[in-house]
Amino acid sequence: MNATRILAGRREGELLIFPSVRRMADILSVRCREPSWVRTSVASLERFRTMTGHIDLEMLLTQAKANPAAAEQALASFASALSSYSEDQVSALAMGVKIWFRLNGVDVPWRPLPGSSSAPVLATADRQGTERVILLALIGSGLRLAELLRLHIGDVGSLDAEGRLIPDIEADPLAVQYIPRRGKQEERVTFFTYSTRQALLASLLQATCERDSAQAIDLGAPLITQRNGSKATLASVAKARQRSKSLIRACSDTNVSLCRATGDFFREWGLPGSRFVGPEELPMEEYR
């Protein structure tokens, strides 16, 4: 699906008039299995454009190519405008502009921008650490469990100008390169949430503590591991599946309860406005 169709009927679709935005959207539409990443990236880029006053994106891009510091200054300005937002919110909103810069040849650092501290990630020493990382990694990424479990540390990082992965476990946003389990066997890209990034870093730190800390990170090592750095066990995967089902069931039950409560209320009360007592038309002159 091409970028024009993905953004059809959406306000941010107007940004496709900028050649640089069109390039970003076209690359993502080819590289990402989920079209939502095109919408998310362009929408957050529009947010950046509005909040920083960089209305002419092509002019900003030209300035950034001539002086990369201009790109970092623009990101700093965006972070300042988002000072009241949490770290994970800032990460999500800054995603589009970071991708836009990179895919158009400006090598901005993919590191978290300042934001209010988010809730701390549970330590992976916790008995549910591995299962929690699995659940977080599946949320929003669009990955299937089998695809996630096949990933290595070298499969996550930032993107270059052509949308290819540059291994970097500390990147933010954290891109993921994988080969789909079904369909055409070609490399695709998706992204992990900020919470997933933090959980993975905590997991890696825990694994480092279990071994020689001076040892270099093995990019070929499994991404999802136990405390000692070994691959996730079948038991951990089974627990993650069970927790996932429990969460889905709890959300479904909550949704059903809310719908029933709403229906019961209107069955007892009647349709909106059915108990209104007063003149059919308000005397508008009294409100002028």
Side-chain angles (χ1 to χ4, degrees):
M1 185 178 294
N2 62 46
T4 301
R5 291 184 61 186
I6 292 172
L7 295 172
R10 302 179 69 91
R11 184 180 61 183
E12 59 268 19
E14 297 175 0
L15 266 64
L16 292 179
I17 63 173
F18 294 106
S20 60
V21 179
R22 165 68 70 173
R23 172 180 168 79
M24 176 184 77
D26 285 343
I27 290 176
L28 291 178
S29 65
V30 171
R31 296 283 283 140
C32 298
R33 179 171 63 192
E34 303 295 331
S36 58
W37 291 121
V38 178
R39 293 190 287 267
T40 298
S41 299
V42 176
S44 58
L45 179 59
E46 169 64 12
R47 188 74 170 269
F48 161 81
R49 178 172 173 259
T50 302
M51 295 185 73
T52 61
H54 290 291
I55 303 302
D56 189 340
L57 292 174
E58 297 304 312
M59 180 182 293
L60 173 60
L61 184 61
T62 300
Q63 294 171 349
K65 286 182 175 180
N67 179 18
E72 295 189 33
Q73 290 171 2
L75 286 174
S77 175
F78 193 35
S80 178
L82 298 173
S83 60
S84 62
Y85 290 65
S86 65
E87 292 171 337
D88 51 347
Q89 290 174 318
V90 172
S91 174
L93 290 170
M95 175 183 179
V97 64
K98 289 180 180 178
I99 295 174
W100 173 72
F101 273 130
R102 276 289 183 92
L103 295 187
N104 285 283
V106 180
D107 191 21
V108 295
W110 276 25
R111 288 295 183 267
L113 297 179
S116 303
S117 296
S118 305
V121 176
L122 292 178
T124 52
D126 182 88
R127 61 187 179 86
Q128 296 179 332
T130 302
E131 301 94 86
R132 185 173 186 275
V133 172
I134 292 174
L135 286 178
L136 286 173
L138 292 174
I139 294 173
S141 69
L143 289 173
R144 297 183 173 90
L145 181 58
E147 294 167 344
L148 172 65
L149 295 177
R150 288 205 302 259
L151 293 176
H152 299 92
I153 293 177
D155 293 325
V156 298
S158 61
L159 299 178
D160 67 11
E162 300 303 322
R164 296 183 295 257
L165 189 92
I166 302 172
D168 180 5
I169 188 66
E170 296 185 55
D172 177 50
L174 188 58
V176 185
Q177 186 167 274
Y178 68 101
I179 296 178
R181 183 169 177 265
R182 302 172 184 172
K184 194 173 183 180
Q185 300 295 292
E186 61 181 5
E187 289 182 341
R188 293 283 192 171
V189 168
T190 187
F191 297 88
F192 283 146
T193 63
Y194 183 78
S195 296
T196 305
R197 172 190 182 272
Q198 296 301 91
L200 285 170
L201 286 175
S203 175
L204 181 61
L205 177 62
Q206 181 65 43
T208 301
C209 292
E210 295 287 333
R211 66 172 194 274
D212 183 3
S213 58
Q215 184 179 347
I217 296 176
D218 180 8
L219 297 182
L223 182 65
I224 305 298
T225 65
Q226 300 183 84
R227 287 180 56 188
N228 60 5
S230 61
K231 294 181 67 173
T233 63
L234 291 176
S236 295
V237 174
K239 288 179 181 178
R241 287 181 185 274
Q242 185 59 43
R243 292 186 71 187
S244 176
K245 291 178 181 178
S246 298
L247 286 171
I248 292 172
R249 189 180 306 113
C251 291
S252 177
D253 290 345
T254 300
N255 185 49
V256 170
S257 297
L258 287 172
C259 290
R260 284 178 174 172
T262 303
D264 291 342
F265 171 80
F266 283 115
R267 272 193 292 272
E268 179 180 345
W269 183 260
L271 294 175
S274 61
R275 297 196 181 192
F276 176 76
V277 177
E280 291 297 323
E281 295 185 3
L282 294 175
M284 297 306 297
E285 61 275 4
E286 295 182 9
Y287 296 91
R288 292 175 182 171

